[in-house]
Amino acid sequence: MQASEVRRAVAAAMAIASSLGLAADDAVVLHDSNKLTLRLLPCDVVARVAPVAQQVARFEVELAQRLAESGCPVAALDPRVEPRVHERDGFVVTLWTYYAPASSREVSPAEYAKALERLHAGMREVDVPVPHFMDRVEQAQRLVASRDLTPELADADRELLGDTLRSLRRVIGERGGGGEQLLHGEPHPGNVLSTENGLLFIDLETCCRGPVEFDLAHAPEDVGHHYAGVSPDLLRECRTLVLAIIATWRWEPGDQLPDGRRLGAEWIDRIRALRFTAG
């Protein structure tokens, strides 16, 4: 979130919590990207705040409720208030349960895979309209194709990303979509909470439809070895595709991921190394 908006966003979240009878005298920033995630104290609630124009909060709230009711490993909305989207001063705010982190034990790839399998099983029972994962490829291709949209992207990197997106879109598309289902969309470690009750997934606004290998491509590499029925070739292709997509996003002038340009450059170097090895 833009620095100029953070103070107003925090004030909006605290005011909404207070109006609902939750004591909110302080706010700790847990994450700041396109959306601001806060821990409000002393009521101990997590507030997710986004500009009205950039949010899909209502979808996220409804989906989280349905998945939680079916026993999926997802973070729950705060039970002390009505599960809904709140709006104030140009921001939308949703209120979630705060989960104390588990002890410093490391999450095993097998545990990660099992939690993702449970999430996918529950998602197969939910019918909601979501974008297809290839829509992200199309968006990335538009960014790469336009110097106006990504003016600081070097020509060699632009060519590499364009070739990678185009070739993987064709190869993955030729495999067919018979195994496609509702996906989390970005179940990377930053969207997984390690709690005393196990792993819980957050940030459901990124949901899309596609093969489970696309979700696994966001997880640590060893996780795929513990997920049943995975296509190794498709997973490998999806990993490179995801790298190309997220690297492209880092070159948008308005990108708000902390240290995004450095990460984007690292991901491009990794893609170049993968393409060189494959060649």
Side-chain angles (χ1 to χ4, degrees), residues 113-156:
K114 183 177 180 181
L116 194 53
E117 284 183 326
R118 287 178 55 211
L119 178 66
H120 286 158
M123 285 183 153
R124 283 194 288 272
E125 305 303 317
V126 176
D127 184 18
V128 293
V130 294
H132 193 268
F133 81 108
M134 280 296 183
D135 292 353
R136 297 187 192 180
V137 183
E138 293 181 11
Q139 178 198 28
Q141 287 181 300
R142 286 195 295 270
L143 292 173
V144 168
S146 172
R147 285 184 170 82
D148 291 336
L149 297 177
T150 50
E152 296 184 42
L153 182 60
D155 288 346

Side-chain angles (χ1 to χ4, degrees), residues 156-228:
D157 295 341
R158 189 183 303 277
E159 182 178 359
L160 174 69
L161 289 172
D163 287 346
T164 302
L165 291 164
R166 182 169 51 255
S167 62
L168 287 175
R169 180 179 182 180
R170 175 181 54 78
V171 169
I172 294 173
E174 288 174 353
R175 291 184 180 276
E180 294 183 355
Q181 66 156 83
L182 180 65
L183 303 174
H184 179 285
E186 293 183 7
H188 54 69
N191 282 334
V192 182
L193 303 179
S194 179
T195 76
E196 295 296 341
N197 295 322
L199 301 185
L200 298 175
F201 292 91
I202 61 172
D203 205 359
L204 298 171
E205 66 176 14
T206 58
C207 284
C208 60
R209 183 164 294 279
V212 296
E213 286 84 355
F214 184 75
D215 259 3
L216 282 164
H218 293 79
E221 188 168 352
D222 287 346
V223 173
H225 302 317
H226 298 271
Y227 193 108

Side-chain angles (χ1 to χ4, degrees), residues 23-91:
D25 302 324
D26 192 18
V28 178
V29 176
L30 300 178
H31 185 69
D32 181 8
S33 185
N34 62 317
K35 180 186 272 93
L36 191 66
T37 304
L38 307 167
R39 181 185 180 187
L40 304 183
L41 297 168
C43 62
D44 228 5
V45 65
V46 172
R48 288 165 58 81
V49 192
V52 169
Q54 300 176 11
Q55 59 83 32
V56 289
R58 186 165 289 103
F59 167 82
E60 185 176 26
V61 165
E62 293 174 355
L63 182 58
Q65 286 181 277
R66 293 176 66 176
L67 293 175
E69 288 169 358
S70 66
C72 285
V74 295
L77 292 143
D78 191 287
R80 293 170 290 181
V81 296
E82 181 184 355
R84 57 180 290 262
V85 177
H86 308 272
E87 186 172 332
R88 187 183 182 95
D89 193 23
F91 296 96

